[in-house]
Amino acid sequence: MKILHTSDWHLGRAFHRVNLLGAQAEFIGHLVTTVRERGVDAVVVSGDVYDRAVPPLAAVELFDDALHRLADLGVPTVMISGNHDSARRLGVGAGLIGRAGVHLRTEPSACGTPVVLRDDFGDVAFYGLPYLEPALVKDEFGVGKPAHEAVLAAAMERVRADLAARVRGTRSVVLAHAFVTGGEASDSERDITVGGVASVPAGVFEGVDYVALGHLHGCQTITDRVRYSGSPLPYSFSEADHRKSMWLVDLDGDGAITAERVECPVPRALTRIRGTLEDLLADPALTRCEEAWVEATLTDAVRPADPMARLAERFPHTLSLVFDPERAPDDPEVSYAQRLAGRSDQEIAEDFVAHVRGAGPDEHEQGVLRDAFDAVRADEVVREVAR
């Protein structure tokens, strides 16, 4: 069975004020063409179909178009909701849409109920594990303290129990939206840290033939059987070195896996340049960047006049401008934002406690801070879902 694995479409998202809807439509066309020309037997979409819980109408229309085009191919599609999606909204009409061969899996309670497809060798069971927000699903899965590993492990127990009851030799594919240990993150994923931990070990998914992951935006291989497809388009300059692609996975009759990367069309190359303004404007080596989307980091000791306008004369697609004067870390002119760069909310709060009273928080106090941040983040998720 040939399976096309994609994820993280983020329909409706812009890139530094650039509307990407046209590029997203081009990707959908590329997806449909790949399915048709490469003889794909099933498509899996591992979450973050939309960029936010209440997407703009144009994004909904593009999703509707994608559903129709996939259904017209007669090739089954399995989709799950991600942490950016509203599971309830995405799942509206799932039963009816499923009759057309597009199977939406957005209910945590249905983790152990697969979409079963057949090929020449027998059944392949596709289990959809939508994004499992620990604070919202801990009761469903009977876990005590809400944690990503605990709820995913409980969901996988249901998967393995269902699989064990099926005909011997049934192959299995799991779709999941999570941060798996060993994956490389970028700047464009939303933080899903709970209790100071964002990732789960790949061993949670033991016992299935292929795990089609979503959430991280870089295409990457955790193990031969556990892979991220990544997003089809770049959504931050931290993805400048990414090759945007999908996985074309061949699952043979014995459950063995071979995988091929299928490149996705990208509207424009991304590049990051760094130096003084005058150097950037004069450097002949940067000619290759003149047609790319550019993030420029200026290292001038004093902020130059009209830097964006001057950069745009040479690099007309400059979208992001960062100021980072080259100074010693202890220089009083180093900005507060620069001193906090790369630090978590927890670390910043602990530093504040140490600054105020002269000593950092003890283990109990660290736990109190961690629980407070988790409660705020969970409340934000609940509010978004309820919108």
Side-chain angles (χ1 to χ4, degrees), residues 103 105 113-118 123-127 162 166 170:
H103 306 277
R105 290 294 183 263
T113 304
V115 176
V116 180
L117 306 178
R118 291 188 62 83
D123 289 347
V124 181
F126 289 78
Y127 297 90
D162 180 85
R166 294 189 174 273
T170 297

Side-chain angles (χ1 to χ4, degrees), residues 25 33 45 60 64-65 67 91-92 154 159 190 217 227 252 265 270 272 277 325 334 367 372:
T33 299
V45 185
V60 177
D64 181 64
D65 177 64
L67 292 183
V92 168
V159 168
R190 183 180 294 170
H217 289 178
R227 299 172 186 259
D252 76 9
L270 271 63
R272 285 172 146 172
L277 179 59
V334 173

Side-chain angles (χ1 to χ4, degrees), residues 16 48 93 125 171 224 233 244 254 309 316 356:
H16 290 271
D48 282 353
R171 289 154 294 156
D224 284 345
L233 293 169
K244 294 303 180 182
D254 296 321
V356 169

Side-chain angles (χ1 to χ4, degrees), residues 303 322-325 327-341:
R303 185 173 301 205
V322 179
F323 293 97
D324 186 20
R327 297 188 175 106
D330 58 351
D331 190 313
E333 294 298 318
V334 173
S335 73
Y336 181 67
Q338 288 171 304
R339 294 198 300 273
L340 296 186

Side-chain angles (χ1 to χ4, degrees), residues 281 308-316:
L281 294 176
M308 182 63 92
R310 293 175 65 190
L311 280 167
E313 290 178 4
R314 182 179 185 189
F315 309 105

Side-chain angles (χ1 to χ4, degrees), residues 10 12-24 233-235 237 267-270 292-294 316-320:
H10 288 277
R13 187 164 184 162
F15 182 72
H16 290 271
R17 305 178 307 281
V18 175
N19 189 322
L20 291 179
L21 205 64
Q24 291 173 333
L233 293 169
Y235 294 116
F237 276 102
R268 194 176 295 278
L270 271 63
W293 279 328
V294 171
H317 305 288
T318 302
L319 299 181
S320 175

Side-chain angles (χ1 to χ4, degrees), residues 4 59 78 125 142 204 233 257 259 297 334 337 339 343 350 359 376:
L4 189 62
V78 184
V204 165
L233 293 169
I257 292 288
T297 298
V334 173
R339 294 198 300 273
R343 300 182 67 75
E350 291 177 7
V376 170

